[in-house]
Each structure stands twice: as C-alpha cells, then as structure tokens.
Amino acid sequence: MELNGIRELQMMARSAHIVLWARELSTELAHQAVDVGVRGFLSTTASPEHFRECLQIASRGELWMESSLTMNLLNNRPVSLSRRQSELVGLLTQGLKNKEIAAALGISEGTVKAYLTTLYEKVGARDRFELALFGLKNLGGRRENASAGGPIRSLVARRGVRRPEA
C-alpha cells in the first residue's frame, strides 16, 4: 500500500478525516499512515459496530483503530513526556481527581483537562484508566517520579487495549 495517494488527498481536502480499510496493515505502514494524518484503521472483517465507532471517532479528528493493531503499534513505541506531563501522570496514578491534580501543580482544572487530552493521544490511551496504567508501567509507580525535576522523560508505551465505550 502506498501513502502518496493519502498525502494527495490530504492536500486536496485538508479537513478530511481518512480511515484505512484493509485486510491487514503492517505496524510500520500504520505508523507512517498516522504521520500523514490517517485517523482510523479498520480490517475488512470489522463488525458494523466497529465501523460506526471508527467513523464517529475519526470524524472528530481523533484516532481509532482495532485493539489488535493498537497493541502492535504501541509495543515499544517511544514516547517523550515533558517534566510537567510526567508530574501529571504521576499524580494521576495516585488516584487524584482533576481538581486535586490542579491544586498540586498550581494550575487550573481546565489546564489539567488540556494536558490529559494531549497525553491520551500521545501515549495512545483511551481514558484515565489506560493513562494511569501507562504511568504505573513506565513510572514504576514510584511517587518520586511525579515530582522529580528532570528534563524530558523518554518512556515506552506498551499498552493500547481498546475498551468499548459505555
């Protein structure tokens, strides 16, 4: 599969949200497709529910893919977090609510929500629970990492199990 056609389509219709529908996708191709703006990935055997969910999410500009591809993509994918993002994830793994995280970091609750949105996409988490699991795996559950003043943390996203929306 060639991505030049996708690049051309993106240039002609900049607001388009592209979904790839294929029998199988290699991890490398999927990474490249995300880099050129593909927002959804479906196998030819996807259920009607998955089609609907994928199209709804991709139409909002968010990323959607089936769990098997998600797991393949996220295995050993390096993710760099800023010190502040690491602090926030560390506090999230402690079970703090947005309001409590905001107070601990000296920022507004709205800023916490903005950070979380960025972090969900950056690490491939679909919700707080997956982001917390990512933090526990990569920060080792050590609380000192949440406030360590180091520069950029390079972590590895190893989790990407998609949970059905309630």
Side-chain angles (χ1 to χ4, degrees):
M1 181 181 291
E2 188 162 320
L3 297 177
N4 288 336
I6 293 171
R7 286 184 186 97
E8 290 174 20
L9 181 58
Q10 287 287 66
M11 292 181 74
M12 290 187 299
R14 296 197 186 275
S15 63
H17 301 290
I18 299 171
V19 174
L20 287 184
W21 187 48
R23 186 175 316 190
E24 59 183 55
L25 287 166
S26 71
T27 303
E28 181 182 339
L29 179 64
H31 275 293
Q32 292 171 1
V34 168
D35 289 343
V36 298
V38 171
R39 304 315 301 160
F41 298 87
L42 282 166
S43 71
T44 55
T45 60
S47 69
E49 293 80 25
H50 281 162
F51 262 84
R52 184 173 47 256
E53 182 180 1
C54 177
L55 293 176
Q56 287 172 340
I57 290 172
S59 72
R60 296 191 305 255
E62 298 172 26
L63 186 61
W64 189 96
M65 62 188 71
E66 292 175 281
S67 60
S68 59
L69 180 58
T70 301
M71 290 180 69
N72 287 338
L73 280 177
L74 293 180
N75 279 339
N76 299 317
R77 181 180 60 90
V79 176
S80 294
L81 299 182
S82 68
R83 179 185 57 80
R84 191 61 137 189
Q85 289 172 329
S86 294
E87 290 171 347
L88 193 142
V89 171
L91 294 169
L92 181 72
T93 62
Q94 294 175 39
L96 273 62
K97 296 180 176 139
N98 289 356
K99 194 173 198 173
E100 296 166 321
I101 293 170
L105 296 177
I107 58 178
S108 74
E109 195 172 347
T111 302
V112 170
K113 290 177 183 178
Y115 269 113
L116 288 172
T117 299
T118 300
L119 284 164
Y120 292 151
E121 187 159 331
K122 195 171 198 178
V123 305
R126 301 200 38 102
D127 54 31
R128 290 176 77 87
F129 179 72
E130 286 188 2
L131 184 57
L133 286 176
F134 170 85
L136 288 171
K137 278 186 168 184
N138 292 283
L139 298 176
R142 296 183 303 265
R143 292 175 188 224
E144 64 271 13
N145 282 335
S147 58
I152 302 239
R153 295 191 52 93
S154 182
L155 305 174
V156 176
R158 296 184 183 273
R159 187 157 200 318
V161 177
R162 192 185 122 315
R163 289 192 181 21
E165 300 295 321

